Amino acid sequence: MQSPDAPPVRTRAVSRSFGDHTVLRGLDLTVDAGRVHGFIGPSGSGKTTTVRMLTGVLAPSSGSVEVFGTDPRKLDTAQRKAIGYMPQLGVLYPQLSIGDNLRFAASLYGVRKPKDRIAEVLEMLDLGGKQTLTLEDASGGMQRRVALAAALLHAPRLLFLDEPTSGLDPVLRRTVWEHLQALAADGCTIFVTTQIVSEAAMCDRVGLLADGGLLAEGSPDELRRRAEGGEVLDVHADGPVTAEAMEALGTHDGVVSATHVDRDRRAVRLVVDDAEAVMDSAGEVLAAHGLSVQLTERFQAPFDDVFVSLLEQQDA
């Protein structure tokens, strides 16, 4: 039996090939309980193949996969009932109504009081009052939310979601992510794939996938720090920051680099080892050159930029 403290998902040196084409290579993955673990990368990078191995649909070509401490192809009934899975492609019945699809899904998992649970999940996903709508007549975004509802009906402890926000508008994407974070706060472990790189910021831990390999892994802040070479501060002065002042900032203790970020040369971006330690002392450096600090603020690069930076570091 798996220890209660053991991670619910673990892979070691997993590779997967289809004929002569290697889709994944050397994947080491640990998904901690009660966390949202994002798996992010462009189309064709191996995200769906990974999910299919974690759910036991595919076997790895080499390496090992464990879910609840067991090969996912050998999970018992109780373990399988603890898992929810939303595949990338629709598997529900387009000719049935939304309500009939969810009643069928609830029956497969033996959901108690299915009427109440279906109403609860539909309301959560802003689908209240849509039960009678035939699935094929629903919009693409609505169909994705119905598929997510089907995966949530039995309140799984472990949830695999393959691009759940694909085709959703930005407002609905944010709503779905808020629900996922709430589920994790209640103890559900969530492994979610997406090619929308900016969604990395919504995860507790992120794996960036490129060309079948894990490019980088860590918390969103750890990945930003790795991409930038440290923490980032933007310092706004009351006048142009001269070359002499820039040199003094760039060689100041704890500063990795200093660059201008605006045309009038009043704003300087500092990459630093520790933002808290440099916030006040950067002002002292500028004061020594006749300048006052109007604003010092942390800068967080968009995750699209983080991903590109990490990819460029790998290729360098």
Side-chain angles (χ1 to χ4, degrees):
M1 180 178 294
Q2 186 191 30
S3 165
D5 297 326
V9 176
R10 191 196 303 266
T11 74
R12 290 292 177 265
V14 164
S15 296
R16 174 68 202 198
S17 299
F18 296 92
D20 295 331
H21 179 53
T22 299
V23 177
L24 280 170
R25 58 181 67 83
L27 179 63
D28 291 325
L29 178 68
T30 299
V31 179
D32 293 324
R35 301 294 185 188
V36 180
H37 195 113
F39 212 50
I40 296 178
S43 179
S45 59
K47 302 186 302 298
T48 295
T49 297
T50 299
V51 174
R52 296 181 74 193
M53 286 191 292
L54 295 179
T55 53
V57 177
L58 287 176
S61 299
S62 61
S64 63
V65 179
E66 291 184 357
V67 173
F68 297 139
T70 304
D71 183 326
R73 294 168 296 168
K74 300 177 181 179
L75 294 171
D76 61 31
T77 300
Q79 289 171 321
R80 291 190 181 281
K81 282 188 175 182
I83 295 173
Y85 174 35
M86 177 183 173
Q88 184 178 13
L89 300 177
V91 294
L92 299 178
Y93 296 92
Q95 291 79 25
L96 295 181
S97 70
I98 290 174
D100 286 341
N101 268 292
L102 295 182
R103 282 186 283 274
F104 175 68
S107 70
L108 294 177
Y109 284 101
V111 175
R112 296 180 179 179
K113 297 183 178 179
K115 181 179 179 180
D116 293 342
R117 180 57 180 165
I118 288 171
E120 178 183 351
V121 173
L122 287 176
E123 192 65 32
M124 177 195 305
L125 296 173
D126 297 322
L127 291 169
K130 303 294 185 182
Q131 288 203 39
T132 60
L133 181 66
T134 303
L135 188 62
E136 63 184 355
D137 294 330
S139 67
M142 191 178 295
Q143 291 181 22
R144 295 299 289 165
R145 283 182 286 154
V146 174
L148 178 57
L152 294 175
L153 281 174
H154 60 298
R157 290 191 291 119
L158 174 60
L159 188 59
F160 293 107
L161 304 175
D162 196 3
E163 301 202 17
T165 59
S166 175
L168 300 187
D169 64 62
V171 174
L172 282 176
R173 281 208 308 269
R174 177 171 291 276
T175 299
V176 168
W177 275 101
E178 288 172 351
H179 290 316
L180 297 183
Q181 290 173 326
L183 288 169
D186 287 338
C188 182
T189 303
I190 302 172
F191 183 84
V192 54
T193 76
T194 179
Q195 56 181 306
I196 304 171
V197 179
S198 61
E199 292 185 340
M202 307 296 288
C203 303
D204 296 305
R205 192 166 181 83
V206 183
L208 299 180
L209 199 65
D211 298 326
L214 199 58
L215 174 65
E217 188 177 31
S219 70
D221 285 343
E222 287 170 346
L223 292 180
R224 283 195 178 97
R225 185 180 181 93
R226 177 171 168 181
E228 298 289 344
E231 298 179 348
V232 183
L233 288 175
D234 280 352
V235 181
H236 301 264
D238 62 351
V241 181
T242 64
E244 291 79 9
M246 286 294 291
E247 182 178 359
L249 281 172
T251 57
H252 185 60
D253 288 344
V255 175
V256 178
S257 66
T259 55
H260 283 110
V261 291
D262 63 344
R263 288 185 176 182
D264 61 11
R265 305 175 76 81
R266 292 171 180 251
V268 178
R269 180 158 296 161
L270 302 179
V271 177
V272 302
D273 294 326
D274 184 341
E276 292 294 333
V278 175
M279 273 190 176
D280 293 332
S281 59
E284 295 171 1
V285 172
L286 290 178
H289 290 78
L291 295 166
S292 296
V293 173
Q294 294 182 315
L295 175 67
T296 301
E297 59 185 351
R298 290 176 180 266
F299 172 76
Q300 287 193 330
F303 253 93
D304 298 78
D305 295 344
V306 171
F307 183 82
V308 170
S309 178
L310 292 172
L311 190 60
E312 289 174 344
Q313 290 177 20
Q314 184 188 48
D315 293 339

